[in-house]
Amino acid sequence: MEENRKCHKVVVSLSGGIDSSTVLALTLKGFHPKEILAVSFFYGSKHNQFENEAAKKIAEYYKVEWKLIFINNIFSFVKSHLMIDGGDVPEGHYTNKSMKQTVVPGRNLIFISILAAIASSYNANLIKLGVHAGDHAIYPDCRPEFIEAIQSVLSTGFDEKIEIKTPFLHNNKSQIIATGKELGVPYELTRTCYKNQETACGKCGSCVERLEAFAKNNIIDPIKYEE
Ligand SMILES: [Zn+2]
């Protein structure tokens, strides 16, 4: 067990969506699968169980160790339409004002703190996340200034060096898919829809952004959508 822990070099935050799956594929360009630990969170969102299942399949596909961390109790105070007991997930474009209802306050801040603690425990000195330019408008803890600030916090909060890398910080989802296409990312295994249903709805902001990004790449999205 102890030996196994020592061989991880990088912790990848793997939600089971397009962005983090592409980050994992990119990471495998520079690391052996055994050096990578993929981490997913169960925090209580409507789509959480479906994205966790997707993350597990993607980790298996790439033969990397996968850990699911349960933090739904921590998030039980959160008021967001994304959460299981929140209001309906808004439909329409991702940039619509209504999408702000799906913001989960402090989610990335809390995720990064846990990822850093895991990295420290596993002797890894690198954390990788799939935050991207499309997140900046509504998620404050996905913006470049936040990533820069939290990097500074980690430098003082841990004795060892823990570096954060967000390779798609300035890219949009269609650019991420273009990269993923070259890397052969199995997008048929990914989960994006925010709704509490197995089959993607095709109408929520998250589905709409995904469909537009595939269309811009002239690729047909390989997942199933409800009629
Ligand atoms: Zn949807």
Side-chain angles (χ1 to χ4, degrees):
M1 186 67 180
E2 195 55 28
E3 278 307 301
N4 191 30
R5 285 185 170 226
K6 284 194 172 122
C7 67
H8 288 101
K9 289 185 177 164
V10 52
V11 177
V12 176
S13 183
L14 185 66
S15 71
I18 284 184
D19 318 317
S20 63
S21 302
T22 312
V23 167
L24 177 59
L26 259 186
T27 306
L28 281 153
K29 286 278 188 192
F31 293 91
H32 189 276
K34 281 190 173 163
E35 296 176 321
I36 298 170
L37 176 66
V39 174
S40 305
F41 295 99
F42 184 81
Y43 61 96
S45 70
K46 287 185 171 74
H47 66 322
N48 221 169
Q49 74 170 103
F50 307 108
E51 56 171 12
N52 288 164
E53 283 162 18
K56 185 172 190 249
K57 284 181 197 159
I58 292 155
E60 280 169 1
Y61 177 91
Y62 283 118
K63 298 183 171 60
V64 299
E65 190 182 338
W66 178 69
K67 247 187 191 313
L68 177 61
I69 312 285
F70 287 83
I71 49 168
N72 46 319
N73 192 33
I74 296 175
F75 279 87
S76 59
F77 67 91
V78 162
K79 300 276 175 246
S80 166
H81 285 223
L82 197 64
M83 303 305 279
I84 200 92
D85 56 357
D88 290 342
V89 169
E91 295 186 347
H93 204 272
Y94 201 74
T95 53
N96 287 355
K97 263 195 177 159
S98 59
M99 281 304 286
K100 275 204 171 167
Q101 295 171 333
T102 66
V103 170
V104 178
R107 181 176 52 179
N108 227 19
L109 171 64
I110 294 168
F111 282 7
I112 291 172
S113 304
I114 296 170
L115 292 165
I118 293 171
S120 171
S121 302
Y122 277 69
N123 295 320
N125 56 15
L126 185 59
I127 301 170
K128 295 185 84 169
L129 295 110
V131 296
H132 65 96
D135 295 327
H136 299 172
I138 60 169
Y139 297 102
D141 55 357
C142 291
R143 292 175 192 150
E145 54 269 35
F146 169 78
I147 298 297
E148 199 179 314
I150 192 98
Q151 175 67 75
S152 161
V153 167
L154 295 187
S155 305
T156 55
F158 293 86
D159 279 336
E160 62 274 38
K161 185 184 169 207
I162 298 175
E163 190 186 357
I164 300 185
K165 278 199 177 164
T166 53
F168 298 127
L169 190 59
H170 301 288
N171 296 122
N172 61 33
K173 204 175 277 286
S174 105
Q175 291 168 318
I176 294 172
I177 289 174
T179 302
K181 188 184 164 194
E182 281 182 25
L183 295 168
V185 178
Y187 287 134
E188 68 278 8
L189 302 179
T190 58
R191 166 72 186 206
T192 299
C193 182
Y194 277 168
K195 290 194 183 175
N196 184 6
Q197 57 188 59
E198 185 149 4
T199 308
C201 76
K203 294 175 201 144
C204 71
S206 204
C207 279
V208 170
E209 187 196 32
R210 173 181 173 124
L211 284 163
E212 279 183 3
F214 273 101
K216 275 186 194 154
N217 281 284
N218 295 314
I219 306 171
I220 292 169
D221 187 347
I223 66 161
K224 244 208 266 176
Y225 286 89
E226 70 181 357
E227 294 299 316

